[in-house]
Each structure stands twice: as C-alpha cells, then as structure tokens.
Amino acid sequence: EFRRVLFRSYTKQVHGTHIAEADPTKHGLHSESREEADGLYTTRPNTIAVQTADCLPLLVYSEKDPFIMAVHAGWRGLAKGIVGNAVKLAQRHCTSKENLRVLIGPAISAECFEVGGEVIEAFAKFIHPTQMEVLTNKGKEDRWFFDLWGAAAFTLVDHGIRPENITVLKRSEEH
C-alpha cells in the first residue's frame, strides 16, 4: 500500500527575498524555531503556506512538473527582488519557463496603499518609468498611491513569465 506523507510547512516571514525548500523538521507548524524566509517551495506532496495582510501572496506552480511555491511579497521584498528569486528558483526545478503559472492573491489595493517617496524610489530603480506612471497616483503632499499587484506582474513579465500565465485575484467586487 502506498501512503503519501503530507506535512504543513511555515516560516518566519521577514520581508526579505529568501525562499526555502519545505522541510518538516525546519518549517513544521510546531517547530521550535522556524527559518527566516518569505517563501517555501516543494516538489513532493506537502502543504505550504504564507501569511499576508496587506502584502501579496504569490502561488507559483508548474503545469507539467511536480513543483509549487508560496511567496509572501510585501513592498520591501518586491523591491529587494523576491519575485526574480522565485522565478529563477522555479526554473531550476521545472522543465520549461512556459509551464510556469503564477497566481497573485488579494492584497492591499492601489487605492488604499499610500506610501512615501522611499517606496517610489525603490521601485524606480528597476521598473521602467512608463510602468511607474501606471503603478502610481499622487496622494496628499509627499505621498503616493502604489499598485503592488501591477508591480509584481510587471516584474514577473520582466523575468520571462508570459502575461497569459499570470492571474491576479483582487477583491470579489473588482472582477
């Protein structure tokens, strides 16, 4: 009789760029000390999770290969390169980038995410100015409204993920 061993994995999320391989001895729900990472991936039967409030949850998976990744991407992690790290890691485990699919989950909306100039400056270093125009709206005084969903999608495309392989889930009234 074949029995699949299923375990749940979690990490200590720190708004960084590290993505760890799911390991029940390091990332189990009741582990004494969890590894600091903002993503988990696995190539075997497993349940992986990330927790988000305002930040983006990303689910990266392959249609052909046994691979799945869950990523916690706040503005700091996005600006530091967690999306690029995720794509590179997925490519190492998948036969083709064309097989990769990305689901970007609910997060704070562009209409509510008001940020300071440091956020705009961080993204302006790697996002094209015409894309930045789409992602930002001027707020009061020195504040800006910023679209995390769009920033993640632009970054995924810049790393070779086809736009048709990216799904963005927003609030239900925004379908």
Side-chain angles (χ1 to χ4, degrees), residues 70-91:
V71 176
H72 163 260
W75 79 262
R76 286 179 180 84
L78 281 171
K80 291 176 187 175
I82 195 165
V83 169
N85 288 356
V87 172
K88 289 174 192 168
L89 183 61
Q91 284 181 280

Side-chain angles (χ1 to χ4, degrees), residues 19 58 62 71 102 142 175:
I19 301 169
L58 278 75
S62 172
V71 176
V102 181
D142 65 341
H175 287 289

